[in-house]
Amino acid sequence: MAQVKLHVELLRYTKDADEIVAMGGKMCYSASDIDTIAQGVATKDQSRYIERLMGMGHTSVIEHASFTFGIEGVSRALLAQITRHRIASFSVQSQRYVGQRRDEGTFNYIMPPRIAALGPEAQQRFNDQMAQIQSWYNEWVDALGNAGEQSNEDARFVMPNAAETKIMMTMNARELMHFFSLRCCNRAQWEIRELAWQMLEKCMEVAPRLFANAGPGCVRGACPEGKKSCGQAGQVCLRQAALRDKNNA
């Protein structure tokens, strides 16, 4: 075990999300009964209707679609950021019940790209530091009696933000839109930004019409960051358009 990379899987999602969203919208504006609305939605393409709902800002109806992701190869630093998104459900690998003691090698960890870009010597120095932390962790586990979670819960205090964690996360589509708007932006921290783009790609694969305009604010108009803009809106829009075109082909 040592350096690991981001891996994301879409574990479960609302199938026929377009239909579910359309039914929610029509329920608000129609006097018809539930069966009639459901039958009408199932027999017609809802693309334009969903576009109209989005254009009206009637986004509460997209909360009926939910998506569950399995995420691994991410740092505890990312965990602190992602759990700020409160309208979501999280299950996180415990450093108390999952001990990190290693007699050979080290715990899994994430190396920041800018450190890796400094070259082999910098990478080795970072790896050596992780090995030193592993040694300290082992020392504390032993000093605390090597008693499972009773030892782990205190030994983990020396673990770094670089240590890997695993997350299962569920968000509804409306919260995902908000998440993508913030975290796909170039001003977001690099790790959660890459996670957001990979999640967006997987959402577009299964619900391309629903997520057609998802992404940072610049894909829908002027950059909302103002003077703090990255100045690369064109490139960001091209990246989002490539995902959209790929899944609408």
Side-chain angles (χ1 to χ4, degrees), residues 156-196:
R156 64 182 168 172
F157 275 67
V158 301
M159 294 292 284
N161 272 339
E164 184 206 20
T165 193
K166 297 179 175 64
I167 306 168
M168 187 168 79
M169 178 181 68
T170 301
M171 286 184 177
N172 66 51
R174 189 183 194 182
E175 179 60 13
L176 276 169
M177 297 289 193
H178 176 64
F179 177 76
F180 295 144
S181 180
L182 295 178
R183 303 301 187 172
C184 288
C185 175
N186 274 353
R187 283 183 48 77
Q189 184 259 358
W190 64 267
E191 188 178 20
I192 200 168
R193 183 174 68 242
E194 185 54 32
L195 170 63

Side-chain angles (χ1 to χ4, degrees), residues 41-218:
V41 166
T43 56
K44 296 180 182 178
D45 181 11
Q46 300 301 318
S47 301
R48 291 187 178 180
Y49 182 65
I50 289 173
E51 288 178 7
R52 190 158 74 250
L53 286 174
M54 298 295 101
M56 293 166 56
H58 191 175
T59 53
S60 64
V61 294
I62 69 175
E63 293 177 13
H64 296 297
S66 65
F67 300 78
T68 298
F69 299 87
I71 303 164
E72 58 186 5
V74 293
S75 69
R76 303 291 291 195
L78 179 139
L79 178 63
Q81 298 180 78
I82 202 168
T83 50
R84 293 173 186 153
H85 293 270
R86 294 177 178 87
I87 307 176
S89 300
F90 299 95
S91 298
V92 181
Q93 185 183 69
S94 170
Q95 283 187 334
R96 182 186 184 202
Y97 292 101
V98 181
Q100 302 298 312
R101 195 185 196 289
R102 304 285 185 271
D103 293 323
E104 295 183 5
T106 66
F107 55 87
N108 286 350
Y109 59 86
I110 287 77
M111 181 183 293
R114 280 194 287 265
I115 290 179
L118 294 175
E121 290 186 6
Q123 294 172 29
Q124 187 58 54
R125 185 160 69 252
F126 188 86
N127 292 337
D128 290 344
Q129 290 168 349
M130 297 301 104
Q132 179 61 70
I133 292 172
Q134 180 70 71
S135 176
W136 291 335
Y137 177 89
N138 290 353
E139 288 177 13
W140 283 118
V141 168
D142 291 341
L144 293 164
N146 199 9
E149 63 265 22
Q150 293 181 4
S151 302
N152 300 339
E153 67 181 3
D154 289 338
R156 64 182 168 172
F157 275 67
V158 301
M159 294 292 284
N161 272 339
E164 184 206 20
T165 193
K166 297 179 175 64
I167 306 168
M168 187 168 79
M169 178 181 68
T170 301
M171 286 184 177
N172 66 51
R174 189 183 194 182
E175 179 60 13
L176 276 169
M177 297 289 193
H178 176 64
F179 177 76
F180 295 144
S181 180
L182 295 178
R183 303 301 187 172
C184 288
C185 175
N186 274 353
R187 283 183 48 77
Q189 184 259 358
W190 64 267
E191 188 178 20
I192 200 168
R193 183 174 68 242
E194 185 54 32
L195 170 63
W197 277 104
Q198 289 195 30
M199 288 170 57
L200 175 56
E201 181 174 9
K202 291 184 180 300
C203 285
M204 282 188 170
E205 288 173 358
V206 299
R209 287 185 288 272
L210 195 58
F211 290 95
N213 293 312
C218 60

